[in-house]
Amino acid sequence: MTNDARYPKSFASDNHAGVHSAVLQAILAANVGDAPAYGDDEWTATFERQITEVFGAQAKALPVFNGSGANIVGLALMLGRYDGIICAESAHITTHETGATERLLGNKIITVPTEDGKLRPDDIVSRIHTLGVRFEVQPKVVSISQATELGTSYTPDEITALAETAHAHGLRLHMDGARLANAAAFLGCDLRAFTTDAGVDVFSFGGTKNGALGAEAVVLLDPSLQEGGPYIRLQSLQQASKMRFLAAQLSALLTDDLWRQNASHANAMAQRLAAGLAELPEVAVVHPVESNAVFASLPRAVSQELLGHYRFHYWDERAGLVRWMTAFDTTPAQVDDFLSSIQKAALR
């Protein structure tokens, strides 16, 4: 599909959005003269300092290229050869990363069905009965997504309970934070509240879905994991030679809380979309709108007509379930135009 008049705005993914102007300016500012490679530059040093200011003195950040790579690096640091990962069956690491964790790390993923994408402490307990049984994979890491793949957000108390349960049984807690900013904006809290203060051991700080050109970071909160971080990042092909351009993007997002501004706007556009859908009897919002995702059920004929003019994805085509995503650059007018198109299609 080309970006022609038939497709005025994509609601398929926040990855379809452009790059925030402040991030572009940060890249341009970094693109002056020579600088040491592999992270020995002033931009990376600034970003690392910002990370400690936000997440605590013990936090160590490793900029990487993408979210899947961030997950691979973070998980690899916590897993042995016979260890397994507990996660929701909707988790990105087991659904939309082409089996990267199992293929590249060789570790089994142990899934738990959930209605809202969120794990509970009892879900962890239900999957650790194999601990100490030498014929079974040993659960070692609990992995959660914030926000989840169903658009829901964990509260700090919910994550604290998961961390306490995991740690009590000798497991570590990993967080896929591709939409970390959206969750914090929805909850009205800072980024530390459900990471450092909640007991998370390793998480990814997502930038690409929140206005960056292409940059994520693995943040290590457990000091015992930090020594191996740079080695695992290089082995995982996530070491950038011109690191300053990744660090500059992430630093821009952390400057003056640009991350929150972008995420708050994206969330507000999702709320606007969900509110407009409430007036349409043919359409039902099926999950709480707690980030920048709206999951809706609608007749197939309606969705097929809309797909002729807008980009979006089926989440479950047989059930008529679609996912609509908003982004930092989605405008109220674009949401309203989309709602008008949905209404027209539903009334035909």
Side-chain angles (χ1 to χ4, degrees), residues 12 47 50 56 64 77 113 138 159 199 206 242-243 265 275 325 347:
F47 170 61
Q50 289 173 304
V64 297
L77 285 165
Q138 297 297 286
I159 294 176
K242 297 183 179 181
M243 185 73 74
H265 178 80
M325 299 294 303
L347 294 176

Side-chain angles (χ1 to χ4, degrees), residues 14 20 178 181-182 206-212 253 258-260 262-263 266 328:
D14 35 13
H20 193 278
N182 299 94
T208 308
K209 292 177 170 63
N210 196 34
L253 290 176
L258 178 61
W259 66 268
R260 185 183 294 277
N262 289 352
F328 78 93

